[in-house]
C-alpha cells in the first residue's frame, strides 16, 4: 500500500487512452481493481482475494438485496411513507465489499447512507427507516451489532470512530474501527482533526471515504485539488484509491487496511472511487447540476452487473440462483413496505424520554405539564 | 485528618486524582494537561502518577478533543476533557451540541455519554481576548447537557466527583479568577445533590442569586448591606442546568425581592430565565420586579476596561437599593 505524491505522478495518458468521458477512471493505475467493468477478473500486485463460488454469490446477493431495499425505501418516500430517503444506488460494492471485510468485533461509524454496511452488520433494514419516517432519530442499540447510529452532521462521526479506536487500543483489543464518510465531508475540519488524532495516537481506525463524485450539487473538484486518498500522506499514514464499484477490490483493500490496524500499525485512508447514481436524497434534483452522459458512463460500470457477468462467465451461478434471489428480493421489498406502514407513531410522551440518563428537574417539570395539558382534553373526547 | 484548606484549583486536582484512583476508566484529556499540568496547573502531577495513557496531551484541536472523548465514552471510558479557556470552546461547540448532547436520546437511551468538559471561565484576570468569557447560557440552553459551576473549594471537589460519576455529559465551568481562593474541603463528607442550590448567607429583606465567581461578590455585598441594617440572603445556584428553582422560590417568598448576578451578558442570560420563572411562580410574593446585574451586550472588553464591565460590589449594591426602593 503506497502513497504517491502528486509530483511523482507521471503522465500516463499517452499509453492508456482515457478519452474525453469522465467515466474512464478505471484506466488509472492508481485505482485498485480486481474485477473490470466488463466482469473480467484482473490481478493487482498488492491486493487479492480468494473467494469460493459460494462467497462470490454471497456478495452478489448482498448487493442485490441492498439495492432492492434501497429501491423500496425510495418508492416508500415517493408514496409519502417516508419523509426523506438517502439512496445508496451505485455504491453497493463499496459498502458490501468493505462491510464484508469486517469482523464481528469491529465497530462501524456510518454516515447516513450506509444501508449496505448496516446489512452486513446484521442490522434489520427496517430499523434504518425509523428516522426517515420520523418516528425516532436513530433508535437502534449501537452495541448490539457494533454499528453506531447514523450521523447527519457531516464528518462528525470520524472523530467518534477515532476516539473509539483509541479506546480499543487502550483495552489491548485487536479489533478495528471503520469510519464512513463522503467526498464532501473530506472538507470538514472534523475529518482533518480525526486524521491528526488517529495518526498521533496510532489509532486502529480505517477511514473509508466513498467518493461518489457529488456532495449534493458540489463536485469533488469543489472539495479538493488532489486525489482524496493522497490526503493521508500529509498526516503520515497510507492512503489508497480503490475502484468503488468493484466489490472484490473493496473487500481486499478494506481487509488489508483493517489487518494493518489490528497489527497496531495505525490508520489507513481508503478512497472508494464510486458514483452516486441517484439523487443526494429524495429532496434533491441532480438533473439541475449534472449531465445525463455522466450517469450513463457510470452505469456501464455498475457494481452488480459486473459481478453477475463474472459469475455467469465462470459458471459460479446458474439460472436457479438468480431466480431464487429475485424472489428473495421481492419478499424483502414486501417485508420492508409492510414494516414501514405498520410502524407506529411514537407515544407523545417520548418527547421527554432519554434526554438525560440521570434525569433533569426541568424535564420532569415540563413532562408533568405536558401530561396535564394532554389530560385536560380527555373529558371532551367523544362528545 | 480529612479536612484540608485548599484553593479551588488544588481541590479540583485532588478530586481528579481521587476519581482516577477509584475508576480506571477515568481519563483526562486536553491541551497541555500532561507535563505542564494545564495552564492553570489544575492537572498538575497527574500525568506523572497516572501516565500518558490516562492523562492525555492532545493536539490543539478542540473539536477533536471532544469528538474523540465521545468515542472513548462509547467504548466505556469516562473522559474528563479540559478546554483551555472559555472562548476556545467554540470550535468544539458543534460536537458538544449536535453529538454529545443528543446521542443518548438518538439511541433511545441505549448508550450513555459520561463526558465531563471542564472550562475555566469568566474574567477578572487581565487576560487578552477570548480568555474571559462566560458562555454558560449557551450550554444551559441545550437539552441533554448539564451545566454546573462551583464557587468554593469544597464544591469544586465534590461537584467534580459527582460530574464524573454522572452518566450524562456535564459542562463544568471553573471560576478561573477564584482558582486561588482557599476554603475547607472535607474529603470524607457526604455531599448534597449536584444540582441543589446552597444558602451562603441567610437574610430576610432581599435575595441575591449568583453562581461561580459572583458568589463572592454577593457575599461581600450582603456584608456591606448589613452594615446599613439590610438583611440580604445570598443563594449560590451551583447548577445552571438544571436550576434549583424550588430553592430560589423559597428564598424569594421569604424576602419578597430578587436580584440575579452573573458575569455573562444579561440579555438572554441565566438571570432572564430565573426572573421569568420566579415571576411565574412567585408573582404575588414579589415586592419589586426581579432585577439583573451582569455583563453588557458587548464583546468582553479589553482588560483595562473589565472592571467596568464586570459586576462589582457597587453595581450589586445599587441593584439592591433599587429593589428595596419599590
Amino acid at each position: 500500500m503506497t502513497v504517491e505524491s502528486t509530483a511523482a505522478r507521471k503522465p500516463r495518458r499517452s499509453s492508456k487512452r482515457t478519452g474525453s468521458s469522465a467515466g474512464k477512471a478505471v484506466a488509472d493505475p492508481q485505482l485498485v481493481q480486481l474485477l473490470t467493468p466488463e466482469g473480467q477478473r484482473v490481478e493487482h500486485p498488492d491486493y487479492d482475494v480468494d473467494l469460493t463460488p459460494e462467497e462470490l454469490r454471497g456478495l452478489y446477493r448482498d448487493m442485490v438485496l441492498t439495492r432492492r431495499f434501497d429501491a423500496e425505501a425510495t418508492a416508500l418516500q415517493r408514496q409519502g411513507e417516508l419523509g426523506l430517503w438517502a439512496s445508496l444506488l451505485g455504491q453497493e460494492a463499496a459498502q458490501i465489499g468493505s462491510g464484508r471485510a469486517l469482523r464481528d468485533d469491529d465497530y462501524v461509524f456510518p454516515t447516513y447512507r450506509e444501508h449496505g454496511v448496516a446489512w452486513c452488520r446484521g442490522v434489520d433494514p427496517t430499523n434504518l427507516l425509523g428516522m426517515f419516517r420520523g418516528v425516532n432519530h436513530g433508535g437502534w442499540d449501537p452495541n448490539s451489532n457494533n454499528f453506531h447510529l447514523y450521523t447527519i452532521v457531516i464528518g462528525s462521526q470520524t472523530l467518534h470512530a477515532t476516539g473509539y479506536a483509541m479506546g480499543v487500543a487502550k483495552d489491548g483489543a485487536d479489533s478495528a474501527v471503520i469510519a464512513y464518510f463522503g467526498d464532501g465531508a473530506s472538507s470538514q475540519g472534523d475529518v482533518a482533526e480525526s486524521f491528526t488524532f488517529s495518526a498521533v495516537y496510532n489509532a486502529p481506525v480505517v477511514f473509508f471515504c466513498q467518493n461518489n463524485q457529488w456532495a449534493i450539487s458540489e463536485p469533488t473538484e469543489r472539495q479538493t485539488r488532489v486525489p482524496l486518498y493522497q490526503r493521508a500522506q500529509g498526516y503520515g499514514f497510507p492512503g489508497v484509491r480503490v475502484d468503488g464499484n468493484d466489490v472484490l477490490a473493496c473487500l481486499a483493500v478494506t481487509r488489508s487496511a483493517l489487518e494493518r490496524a489490528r497489527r497496531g500499525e495505525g490508520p489507513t485512508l481508503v478512497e472508494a472511487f464510486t458514483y452516486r447514481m441517484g439523487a443526494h436524497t429524495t429532496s434533491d434534483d441532480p438533473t439541475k447540476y449534472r449531465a445525463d452522459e455522466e450517469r450513463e458512463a457510470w452505469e456501464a460500470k455498475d457494481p452488480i452487473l459486473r459481478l453477475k457477468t463474472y459469475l455467469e462467465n465462470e459458471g459460479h451461478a446458474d439460472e436457479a440462483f438468480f431466480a431464487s434471489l429475485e424472489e428473495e428480493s421481492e419478499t424483502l421489498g414486501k417485508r420492508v413496505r409492510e414494516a414501514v406502514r405498520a410502524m407506529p407513531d411514537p407515544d407523545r410522551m417520548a418527547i421527554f424520554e432519554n434526554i438525560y440518563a440521570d434525569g433533569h428537574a426541568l424535564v420532569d417539570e415540563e413532562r408533568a405539564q405536558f401530561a396535564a395539558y394532554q389530560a385536560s382534553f380527555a373529558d371532551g373526547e367523544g362528545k | 485528618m480529612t479536612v484540608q484548606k485548599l484553593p479551588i484549583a488544588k481541590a479540583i486536582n485532588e478530586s481528579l486524582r481521587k476519581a482516577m484512583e477509584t475508576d480506571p476508566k477515568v481519563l483526562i484529556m486536553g491541551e497541555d494537561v500532561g507535563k505542564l499540568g494545564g495552564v492553570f496547573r489544575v492537572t498538575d502531577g497527574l500525568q506523572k502518577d497516572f501516565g500518558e495513557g490516562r492523562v492525555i496531551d492532545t493536539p490543539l484541536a478542540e473539536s477533536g478533543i471532544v469528538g474523540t472523548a465521545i468515542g472513548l465514552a462509547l467504548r466505556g471510558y469516562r473522559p474528563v476533557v479540559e478546554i483551555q479557556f472559555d472562548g476556545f470552546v467554540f470550535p468544539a461547540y458543534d460536537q458538544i451540541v449536535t453529538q454529545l448532547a443528543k446521542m443518548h436520546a438518538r439511541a433511545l437511551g441505549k448508550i450513555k455519554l459520561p463526558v465531563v468538559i471542564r472550562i475555566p471561565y469568566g474574567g477578572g484576570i487581565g487576560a487578552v481576548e477570548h480568555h474571559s468569557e462566560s458562555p454558560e447560557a449557551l450550554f444551559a440552553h441545550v437539552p441533554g447537557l448539564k451545566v454546573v459551576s462551583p464557587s468554593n473549594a469544597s464544591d469544586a471537589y465534590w461537584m467534580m466527583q459527582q460530574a464524573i460519576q454522572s452518566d450524562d455529559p456535564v459542562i463544568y465551568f471553573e471560576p478561573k479568577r477564584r482558582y486561588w481562593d482557599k476554603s475547607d474541603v472535607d474529603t470524607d463528607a457526604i455531599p448534597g445533590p449536584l444540582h441543589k442550590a446552597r444558602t451562603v448567607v441567610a437574610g430576610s429583606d432581599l435575595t441575591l442569586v449568583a453562581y461561580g465567581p459572583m458568589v463572592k461578590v454577593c457575599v461581600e455585598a450582603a456584608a456591606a448591606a448589613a452594615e446599613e441594617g439590610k438583611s440580604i440572603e445570598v443563594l449560590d445556584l451551583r447548577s445552571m442546568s438544571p436550576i434549583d428553582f424550588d430553592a430560589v422560590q423559597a428564598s424569594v417568598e421569604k424576602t419578597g425581592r430578587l436580584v440575579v448576578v452573573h458575569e455573562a451578558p444579561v440579555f438572554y442570560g441565566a438571570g432572564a430565565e430565573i426572573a421569568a420563572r420566579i415571576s411565574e411562580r412567585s408573582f404575588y410574593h414579589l415586592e419589586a420586579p426581579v432585577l439583573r446585574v451582569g455583563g453588557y451586550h458587548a464583546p468582553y472588553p479589553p482588560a483595562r476596561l473589565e472592571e467596568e464591565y464586570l459586576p462589582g460590589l457597587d453595581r450589586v449594591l445599587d441593584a439592591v437599593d433599587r429593589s428595596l426602593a419599590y
Side-chain angles (χ1 to χ4, degrees):
Chain A
M1 195 180 309
T2 54
V3 176
E4 295 183 38
S5 75
T6 314
R9 286 170 70 200
K10 296 197 177 74
R12 296 178 168 101
R13 301 214 184 332
S14 54
S15 58
K16 301 244 183 187
R17 288 173 55 83
T18 55
S20 57
S21 165
K24 292 278 185 182
V26 283
D28 185 346
Q30 295 181 55
L31 190 75
V32 178
Q33 191 180 74
L34 298 175
L35 192 63
T36 69
E38 295 76 29
Q40 297 296 312
R41 191 73 165 79
V42 289
E43 290 193 353
H44 189 278
D46 299 325
Y47 298 98
D48 196 15
V49 282
D50 185 18
L51 300 174
T52 65
E54 189 185 357
E55 287 168 327
L56 289 164
R57 286 195 298 273
L59 292 174
Y60 182 79
R61 173 179 175 272
D62 288 337
M63 289 198 290
V64 167
L65 293 180
T66 299
R67 180 171 288 188
R68 182 66 184 84
F69 163 69
D70 187 75
E72 190 62 39
T74 302
L76 284 163
Q77 195 281 332
R78 296 301 184 218
Q79 292 161 13
E81 301 286 354
L82 300 177
L84 185 79
W85 182 245
S87 167
L88 64 32
L89 186 62
Q91 297 177 223
E92 295 86 353
Q95 296 195 14
I96 300 300
S98 60
R100 286 297 178 208
L102 297 163
R103 253 175 24 192
D104 284 350
D105 60 331
D106 294 337
Y107 211 99
V108 178
F109 286 84
T111 168
Y112 44 78
R113 202 190 294 281
E114 269 66 71
H115 322 314
V117 186
W119 173 267
C120 294
R121 300 306 283 173
V123 176
D124 187 318
T126 61
N127 275 346
L128 306 176
L129 298 169
M131 63 187 292
F132 294 100
R133 189 168 170 86
V135 302
N136 59 44
H137 294 308
W140 61 88
D141 180 353
N143 292 326
S144 60
N145 300 76
N146 280 8
F147 185 79
H148 190 67
L149 301 161
Y150 276 1
T151 299
I152 292 178
V153 178
I154 304 293
S156 293
Q157 72 283 0
T158 58
L159 281 169
H160 309 156
T162 300
Y164 194 94
M166 289 162 64
V168 167
K170 278 184 191 304
D171 294 344
D174 79 335
S175 50
V177 179
I178 188 165
Y180 288 86
F181 61 105
D183 45 307
S186 73
S187 297
Q188 288 280 357
D190 277 2
V191 172
E193 292 185 25
S194 69
F195 289 179
T196 297
F197 275 67
S198 63
V200 301
Y201 297 120
N202 207 44
V205 57
V206 175
F207 296 106
F208 195 91
C209 175
Q210 289 172 84
N211 177 358
N212 69 10
Q213 314 301 325
W214 292 93
I216 307 189
S217 71
E218 306 283 1
T220 309
E221 299 81 71
R222 194 40 73 93
Q223 317 296 338
T224 181
R225 293 288 298 273
V226 299
L228 284 172
Y229 75 95
Q230 292 182 359
R231 290 257 180 100
Q233 186 183 35
Y235 293 89
F237 56 86
V240 57
R241 176 179 275 182
V242 60
D243 182 341
N245 287 17
D246 173 353
V247 70
L248 303 184
C250 288
L251 176 64
V253 166
T254 310
R255 189 179 274 169
S256 165
L258 291 165
E259 282 165 3
R260 186 173 178 278
R262 291 186 214 296
R263 288 195 303 269
E265 293 170 27
T268 302
L269 170 61
V270 177
E271 177 192 3
F273 202 76
T274 183
Y275 192 72
R276 181 241 291 161
M277 299 293 287
H280 163 69
T281 69
T282 45
S283 298
D284 175 32
D285 178 6
T287 64
K288 292 189 76 168
Y289 55 82
R290 67 186 194 190
D292 291 344
E293 299 77 43
E294 183 184 290
R295 184 188 151 116
E296 284 157 19
W298 278 94
E299 273 173 0
K301 295 190 277 193
D302 187 279
I304 296 184
L305 280 180
R306 78 170 73 175
L307 185 57
K308 186 176 192 196
T309 306
Y310 177 65
L311 289 172
E312 287 172 338
N313 289 348
E314 296 295 314
H316 289 330
D318 56 16
E319 276 307 312
F321 167 75
F322 293 113
S324 132
L325 184 54
E326 179 63 27
E327 202 174 307
E328 191 180 1
S329 292
E330 286 315 304
T331 306
L332 174 67
K334 188 163 177 282
R335 176 165 82 82
V336 167
R337 191 161 60 246
E338 286 168 358
V340 165
R341 289 180 174 156
M343 225 174 251
D345 283 349
D347 184 279
R348 51 168 70 103
M349 297 311 289
I351 294 170
F352 302 97
E353 283 169 17
N354 301 310
I355 304 171
Y356 294 91
D358 297 341
H360 189 283
L362 179 63
V363 174
D364 294 342
E365 186 183 323
E366 293 187 350
R367 182 194 292 113
Q369 285 169 357
F370 183 78
Y373 178 67
Q374 296 297 332
S376 73
F377 295 102
D379 292 343
E381 271 178 17
K383 287 185 183 172
Chain B
M1 183 68 183
T2 57
V3 180
Q4 294 172 273
K5 206 172 194 64
L6 294 177
I8 286 179
K10 182 66 177 165
I12 298 170
N13 179 282
E14 290 291 333
S15 190
L16 293 171
R17 175 177 293 279
K18 181 182 176 183
M20 295 188 84
E21 282 168 353
T22 309
D23 183 353
K25 293 293 187 184
V26 174
L27 305 173
I28 289 173
M29 303 169 64
E31 298 161 7
D32 308 304
V33 295
K35 276 192 183 141
L36 181 66
V39 291
F40 291 105
R41 311 292 183 265
V42 171
T43 55
D44 200 22
L46 296 178
Q47 191 183 63
K48 185 166 77 63
D49 295 339
F50 294 96
E52 292 180 11
R54 294 193 62 199
V55 181
I56 306 166
D57 273 322
T58 63
L60 268 72
E62 285 77 8
S63 190
I65 294 169
V66 174
T68 53
I70 291 170
L72 282 157
L74 292 172
R75 181 70 190 180
Y77 288 86
R78 302 185 91 87
V80 182
V81 159
E82 177 175 302
I83 299 293
Q84 206 154 65
F85 283 92
D86 35 63
F88 300 110
V89 73
F90 296 109
Y93 196 65
D94 168 49
Q95 281 288 346
I96 295 171
V97 172
T98 71
Q99 306 302 316
L100 184 62
K102 292 183 174 169
M103 216 176 265
H104 176 69
R106 203 177 284 153
L108 302 184
K110 300 289 196 320
I111 52 173
K112 290 170 180 165
L113 280 300
V115 177
V116 177
I117 299 180
R118 298 179 36 234
I119 308 177
Y121 82 123
I125 63 163
V128 296
E129 196 184 10
H130 313 303
H131 290 68
S132 305
E133 296 171 12
S134 300
E136 62 271 17
L138 297 173
F139 294 91
H141 198 60
V142 178
L145 302 178
K146 291 185 173 176
V147 183
V148 301
S149 178
S151 69
N152 61 72
S154 177
D155 275 355
Y157 181 89
W158 283 111
M159 288 166 71
M160 179 57 76
Q161 291 295 307
Q162 293 166 317
I164 292 171
Q165 285 158 15
S166 170
D167 282 331
D168 289 313
V170 178
I171 315 294
Y172 186 97
F173 278 104
E174 300 174 2
K176 69 168 88 85
R177 70 159 134 162
R178 307 290 181 220
Y179 267 146
W180 303 276
D181 287 9
K182 287 186 177 182
S183 55
D184 284 344
V185 179
D186 180 351
T187 52
D188 285 344
I190 296 168
L194 176 59
H195 303 289
K196 181 122 185 64
R198 181 176 66 99
T199 305
V200 190
V201 179
S204 56
D205 295 339
L206 180 145
T207 301
L208 280 175
V209 164
Y211 51 84
M214 279 296 122
V215 172
K216 186 176 183 180
V217 173
C218 289
V219 170
E220 288 167 359
E227 288 176 16
E228 299 172 6
K230 299 165 192 162
S231 173
I232 308 293
E233 181 146 301
V234 179
L235 211 58
D236 178 357
L237 217 49
R238 300 174 71 252
S239 170
M240 282 81 79
S241 180
I243 284 177
D244 184 358
F245 285 114
D246 291 344
V248 183
Q249 179 178 355
S251 177
V252 167
E253 293 186 2
K254 182 173 70 170
T255 66
R257 289 178 167 83
L258 174 61
V259 176
V260 189
V261 184
H262 52 61
E263 288 190 19
V266 163
F267 191 60
Y268 279 94
E273 180 59 39
I274 294 166
R277 294 263 168 188
I278 292 304
S279 298
E280 225 177 280
R281 286 185 175 217
S282 310
F283 186 72
Y284 292 108
H285 292 84
L286 287 169
E287 305 286 342
V290 181
L291 300 180
R292 293 169 287 161
V293 183
Y296 303 107
H297 194 56
Y300 194 89
R304 295 292 177 129
L305 290 175
E306 67 179 340
E307 290 308 321
E308 304 297 325
Y309 176 92
L310 291 168
L313 189 58
D314 290 341
R315 278 177 63 198
V316 174
L317 288 172
D318 175 66
V320 167
D321 288 345
R322 279 191 288 132
S323 178
L324 288 169
Y326 275 90

